[in-house]
Amino acid sequence: MVVDKFETFEREFWRDINTTGDNNSPLVYTMLSSNDSDEFFTETLGSIEGPWSNNNAFTLHEFGCSVGRHLNFVRSKFENVTVSGNDISNTALELGRKTFNFSDNELFNADTFEFIMNASTTGKKFDVLISYMHTMHLNDVFVQEIFPSFIPRMCNFFFCHELQTNEPHSCSRGPGMWYARDYMSMFMTGTIIVSQSNGHRLNYHTVGWKFV
């Protein structure tokens, strides 16, 4: 994978982020309303059939989970879900464990590339994988080469909520750097089962795939 100075800076930005500062602060995340979680999970998952239907047991993992506020919402809505999440900020993970009573096994330190590679090696698989405003911070090489090869083997369903554009190289560089992409064409396999814009965030789009 090609890593340039902007990606290095970006990784350090998220890794070293603390509990004070701007809207990206983990402390701010613990205090946000659950409206976006409710829209993403309740409306999205509630609109389709899956392992979460009829109160069935299922596993759900979130890439770039920060303090785990979405995971906390999920387990409050689905009685038989087993949740987990990875992030590279120890500050966010420790705050999430304390605030939402997660264990070290539920919220743990790993970057998304490391986590995917380890899961591939061990054969780890989830019913659901999610990315909420996280994949847009990963570089093009990672998303174009790693995601299509490994995500369909790691889960039965993948949902992401990201900046959506048809322009292939739309990118903002600096703190909180993001890449806007066409997430509708991310995978050559699987079936798109959800595609919807979210009104309270301009240009954000939720896309879901089914790989089984």
Side-chain angles (χ1 to χ4, degrees), residues 20-209:
T20 62
D22 63 15
N23 291 334
N24 292 314
S25 163
L27 183 60
V28 171
Y29 287 164
T30 65
M31 297 183 290
L32 292 177
S33 90
S34 62
N35 289 345
D36 54 349
S37 294
D38 192 22
E39 185 174 37
F40 182 54
F41 295 107
T42 306
E43 293 184 14
T44 300
L45 296 185
S47 67
I48 56 178
E49 288 292 321
W52 51 85
S53 304
N54 302 316
N55 206 30
N56 292 324
F58 68 102
T59 56
L60 182 147
H61 181 88
E62 180 179 9
F63 296 138
C65 65
S66 184
V67 296
R69 68 187 185 95
H70 296 305
L71 299 174
N72 184 57
F73 180 86
V74 168
R75 67 182 181 181
S76 74
K77 291 292 184 179
F78 300 96
E79 181 180 352
N80 293 318
V81 65
T82 299
V83 299
S84 59
N86 67 282
D87 204 273
I88 60 173
S89 169
N90 279 324
T91 299
L93 294 169
E94 291 170 5
L95 185 60
R97 294 180 192 123
K98 179 180 179 180
T99 304
F100 300 122
N101 195 30
F102 284 112
S103 70
D104 291 351
N105 291 327
E106 291 173 317
L107 297 189
F108 52 86
N109 190 302
D111 68 27
T112 298
F113 175 76
E114 173 190 354
F115 177 77
I116 290 175
M117 293 299 99
N118 287 342
S120 175
T121 300
T122 61
K124 181 72 173 177
K125 188 168 183 177
F126 300 89
D127 291 310
V128 181
L129 286 176
I130 63 171
S131 170
Y132 192 92
M133 297 171 63
H134 171 69
T135 301
M136 68 187 199
H137 296 297
L138 304 177
N139 72 55
D140 281 336
V141 175
F142 183 92
V143 174
Q144 292 172 2
E145 296 183 9
I146 301 300
F147 266 49
S149 299
F150 292 95
I151 296 299
R153 290 185 275 168
M154 284 181 61
C155 65
N156 297 325
F157 296 85
F158 177 66
F159 298 95
C160 70
H161 175 78
E162 313 286 350
L163 274 170
Q164 168 77 15
T165 182
N166 292 324
E167 300 176 12
H169 301 296
S170 180
C171 175
S172 170
R173 291 186 162 183
M177 178 180 72
W178 48 261
Y179 297 82
R181 303 183 176 94
D182 178 11
Y183 288 91
M184 296 288 291
S185 60
M186 182 182 296
F187 302 106
M188 298 299 292
T189 60
T191 303
I192 294 177
I193 54 175
V194 173
S195 175
Q196 59 190 35
S197 297
N198 294 72
H200 68 287
R201 282 201 177 96
L202 186 65
N203 298 327
Y204 281 81
H205 201 77
T206 297
V207 186
W209 290 265

